[in-house]
Amino acid sequence: MGPSPPIPPSFIAKKNAILTSLSVPDDAYTDLSPKGTVDEALKPLIDRINALEGIVTTSSCSGRVSVFLEGSKGGNRKGKIDDPETGTCENAEGQAAVPGGKGMGGRWLFVSHEPVHFNQEGSYLATRLGMSYQLELYDYQKDMDINQVRLARFQFEPMILHVTTASLHHAQPILAAAINAGFRESGIQSLKNLDDAKAFPMVAIRSSGLALESIVGSMRDCMEDLGSLSEDNGGYSNDEEVHSLVREDYLDLLIKLANERFKTNTERMRRFEEDLFRREGGSALGSPWEDGKDRQERKRAEGLKQQEELRRKKVDGKRGV
């Protein structure tokens, strides 16, 4: 790979604006994520990447475990819609939200960006995860239309990092490092906008293979006076509880699985950083792009060379050289 192309002034301006926003003190910085700030686990890597020329991070998540309640499927509704005799919702009108999305009033019940370790004593796991629980699992939904139930999902999501680059030359080594580290679903985006002087290739670093999702709770999709919105709970006022649909030992298993995936996620993050900055005193951006097969062949050749050197040293030692 030849020398890096000149970095456009528009990219430099874009990067400076992003770095200015990131330099705001932690207590004053906010972003559009549920947490509102850059994850502590990613700050060192982000700072190191942003110190390089021709690239800048735009959005990120170090990985998280969460319980998310999907939005209302009924869209805009009017009047009282809960029928106490049938347990169904009536008079629903408007466009339905996408299943599993935030939609109308979807919200996080629990979010953690690090492994979850609850004290042994205390309330039920369901309660700690933002749901209600009783010894006999709720079955009031069994005869209800699925469109009248809002589902709560337990999720583990691995690291995702978006890096905007000045050119494909700068993007390729980042993509190679991500794939080599195990973020197999990484790719380069925004290529259709290359004719735009202010649009640049973006590397999306991600791995869906580590993701984990399971339905763990639900609530009736019944709301009163939905014409009035409230910002406190994502849009609607609703006293209906989110009920756990699974046993406590199943929630415990999910948490243990998520914690194990946190470990794998952290290891992949470490490998990505090492691969990207594998040259002492520099970065991978100045070295040739290397896919997985080429890297395997290089490692094999290096191993054979080391074995040959050790063999020679042994022979020289026996000869008294």
Side-chain angles (χ1 to χ4, degrees), residues 8 22 34 71-72 83 96 99 152 179 189 194 224 228 233 268 280 282:
L22 291 175
S72 172
D83 185 337
I179 292 176
Q189 303 175 344
L194 288 181
E224 297 184 16
S228 60
N233 62 3
R268 290 185 181 182
E280 184 177 355

Side-chain angles (χ1 to χ4, degrees), residues 199-217:
F200 302 97
M202 175 183 288
V203 183
I205 302 168
R206 55 199 174 195
S207 175
S208 61
L210 272 183
L212 170 68
E213 179 178 305
S214 178
I215 295 174
V216 294

Side-chain angles (χ1 to χ4, degrees), residues 281-299:
S283 75
L285 301 182
S287 60
W289 183 25
E290 184 180 50
D291 62 21
K293 184 177 180 180
D294 290 340
R295 182 174 183 273
Q296 185 178 12
E297 290 297 324
R298 176 175 61 82
K299 289 292 186 181

Side-chain angles (χ1 to χ4, degrees), residues 71-312:
S72 172
K73 298 182 179 70
N76 297 324
R77 300 177 176 178
K78 299 178 181 180
K80 187 173 182 177
I81 56 176
D82 184 21
D83 185 337
E85 294 185 3
T86 63
T88 60
C89 304
E90 298 179 348
N91 301 328
E93 60 184 38
Q95 185 176 3
V98 177
K102 290 187 67 174
M104 309 298 285
R107 65 186 186 274
W108 275 269
L109 305 177
F110 175 86
V111 179
S112 175
H113 291 264
E114 56 189 23
V116 178
H117 298 289
F118 292 129
N119 296 329
Q120 295 298 322
E121 300 179 358
S123 56
Y124 292 112
L125 289 176
T127 304
R128 299 184 188 193
L129 295 174
M131 302 177 290
S132 66
Y133 180 80
Q134 68 179 33
L135 295 179
E136 294 182 3
L137 296 179
Y138 288 86
D139 63 352
Y140 66 88
Q141 302 96 334
K142 64 182 181 181
D143 297 323
M144 190 178 295
D145 189 320
I146 189 62
N147 290 319
Q148 296 174 346
V149 176
R150 296 171 63 184
L151 300 175
R153 290 173 168 82
F154 180 99
Q155 299 172 316
F156 172 78
E157 300 165 276
M159 184 199 83
I160 184 168
L161 178 63
H162 291 94
V163 183
T164 298
T165 63
S167 68
L168 287 174
H169 181 101
H170 295 85
Q172 286 178 334
I174 300 173
L175 177 61
I179 292 176
N180 287 343
F183 295 97
R184 301 294 184 183
E185 287 72 38
S186 299
I188 300 178
Q189 303 175 344
S190 304
L191 296 181
K192 65 181 180 180
N193 297 322
L194 288 181
D195 292 335
D196 185 346
K198 295 184 179 180
F200 302 97
M202 175 183 288
V203 183
I205 302 168
R206 55 199 174 195
S207 175
S208 61
L210 272 183
L212 170 68
E213 179 178 305
S214 178
I215 295 174
V216 294
S218 70
M219 67 179 289
R220 291 187 302 168
D221 193 8
C222 298
M223 302 179 182
E224 297 184 16
D225 190 22
L226 297 188
S228 60
L229 301 182
S230 169
E231 294 181 358
D232 294 337
N233 62 3
Y236 290 119
S237 175
N238 191 343
D239 295 330
E240 186 81 26
E241 288 185 322
V242 181
H243 300 297
S244 173
L245 294 176
V246 299
R247 292 160 49 106
E248 287 284 284
D249 54 356
Y250 183 71
L251 290 177
D252 182 62
L253 174 62
L254 289 177
I255 291 173
K256 289 177 179 177
L257 286 172
N259 288 345
E260 285 299 311
R261 297 194 180 198
F262 260 119
K263 294 179 183 179
T264 304
N265 183 63
T266 299
E267 173 62 19
R268 290 185 181 182
M269 290 167 58
R270 183 192 64 78
R271 296 207 312 257
F272 167 69
E273 182 172 6
E274 288 185 353
D275 194 276
L276 185 59
F277 296 91
R278 65 182 177 269
R279 292 191 174 188
E280 184 177 355
S283 75
L285 301 182
S287 60
W289 183 25
E290 184 180 50
D291 62 21
K293 184 177 180 180
D294 290 340
R295 182 174 183 273
Q296 185 178 12
E297 290 297 324
R298 176 175 61 82
K299 289 292 186 181
R300 179 176 177 275
E302 291 175 353
L304 292 175
K305 183 178 179 180
Q306 291 177 356
Q307 291 179 10
E308 179 63 20
E309 290 177 352
L310 290 175
R311 187 190 67 79
R312 289 180 180 178

